[in-house]
């Protein structure tokens, strides 16, 4: 059984006369136990996909199952077995952190005090403070504990590290890796590509509401595009397949997806003092797909 499975999942906002694209024909398969990445810039459709999966908004078409259950018929059962971290954490005003955590646990009818205390200790979260007084980063910590304290079998995380300092980000991902090693499926939505590259086994790239690539992270990085760095002077006018050109005073660097023979001909006609051709990292692959 897949932890998440969608087939042509579609969501439009508005009416048929004046509708806005959310997501279109999104088909995904996330296996149980995977640490899975969902990549795209703001507005690409990541949050719409997540909210549709959780039954928070109704799809306009297609179908989806989470943990083997239908997102429409079994929403409450799905939410009971899932931990969700939204990109922006909002809480009832006037509540203390400990009250928010207890409220979240009570909604799931589970005593989470032991796990909540352990998570608060690792994240440096003061449970006596009022949520109104917390910084954005500390509010994000509260949301993290709410999502993780009931030890769900599926974690859906939407831009989870916003507001966290680098040390807290490292501790957060350490917690996620520990959970994943115990069998928790993690669905990580992010526009920070290094997070996905360091932690995920497979990933999908979404653009303007549609999936444009889905594969193992290593395979996504092995595209036909290469990162070419040249020290010297060459003319790129007639060279097709050049993207992300970065010029310096002593050369240039660019992504190249054209014919290698053509590139060699251009290089040999120029004045090249040094040259390197390497595999692009995931961030450069992302630029390749989005250009």
């Amino acid at each position: 059984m897949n932890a998440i499975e969608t087939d042509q999942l579609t969501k439009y906002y508005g009416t048929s006369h004046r509708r806005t694209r959310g997501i279109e024909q999104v088909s995904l398969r996330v296996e149980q136990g995977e640490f899975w990445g969902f990549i795209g810039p703001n507005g690409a459709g990541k949050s719409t996909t997540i909210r549709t999966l959780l039954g928070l908004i109704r799809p306009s078409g297609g179908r989806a199952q989470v943990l083997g259950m239908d997102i429409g018929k079994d929403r409450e059962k799905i939410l009971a077995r899932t931990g969700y971290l939204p990109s922006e954490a909002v809480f009832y005003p006037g509540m203390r952190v400990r009250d928010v955590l207890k409220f979240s646990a009570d909604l799931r009818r589970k005593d989470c005090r032991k796990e909540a205390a352990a998570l608060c200790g690792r994240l440096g979260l003061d449970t006596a403070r009022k949520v109104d007084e917390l910084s954005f980063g500390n509010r994000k910590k509260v949301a993290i504990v709410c999502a993780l304290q009931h030890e769900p079998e599926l974690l859906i995380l939407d831009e989870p590290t916003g507001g966290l300092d680098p040390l807290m980000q490292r501790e957060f991902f350490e917690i996620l890796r520990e959970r994943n090693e115990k069998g928790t499926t993690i669905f990580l939505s992010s526009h920070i590509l290094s997070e996905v590259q360091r932690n995920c086994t497979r990933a999908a790239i979404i653009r303007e509401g549609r999936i444009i690539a889905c594969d193992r992270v290593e395979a996504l990085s092995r595209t036909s595009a290469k990162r070419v760095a040249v020290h010297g002077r060459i003319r790129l006018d007639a060279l097709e397949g050049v993207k992300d050109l970065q010029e310096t005073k002593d050369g240039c660097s660019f992504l190249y997806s054209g014919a290698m023979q053509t590139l060699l001909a251009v290089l040999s006609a120029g004045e090249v003092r040094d040259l390197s051709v390497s595999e692009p990292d995931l961030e450069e692959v992302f630029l390749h797909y989005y250009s």
Side-chain angles (χ1 to χ4, degrees), residues 111-112 138 147:
D111 185 352
C112 302
N138 279 316

Side-chain angles (χ1 to χ4, degrees), residues 58-109:
R58 297 170 67 90
S60 305
R63 65 176 188 87
Q65 288 188 328
V66 175
L67 299 173
M69 297 177 284
D70 182 83
I71 60 171
K73 300 175 184 176
D74 304 308
R75 185 182 71 163
E76 291 187 9
K77 294 178 182 178
I78 290 170
L79 292 175
R81 296 165 59 185
T82 302
Y84 169 48
L85 178 61
S87 57
E88 294 185 11
V90 180
F91 305 104
Y92 290 117
M95 296 182 72
R96 298 191 184 277
V97 171
R98 58 172 172 259
D99 300 323
V100 172
L101 301 182
K102 184 179 185 302
F103 179 65
S104 177
D106 289 346
L107 287 173
R108 301 176 187 279
R109 299 182 177 88

Side-chain angles (χ1 to χ4, degrees), residues 112-128:
C112 302
R113 286 175 293 181
K114 183 179 178 181
E115 187 63 23
L119 289 167
C120 289
R122 293 183 68 171
L123 296 172
L125 184 60
D126 182 357
T127 61

Side-chain angles (χ1 to χ4, degrees), residues 42-57:
N42 294 332
K46 302 191 302 300
S47 295
T48 296
T49 302
I50 287 172
R51 291 168 186 158
T52 307
L53 287 174
L54 292 172
L56 303 178
I57 55 177

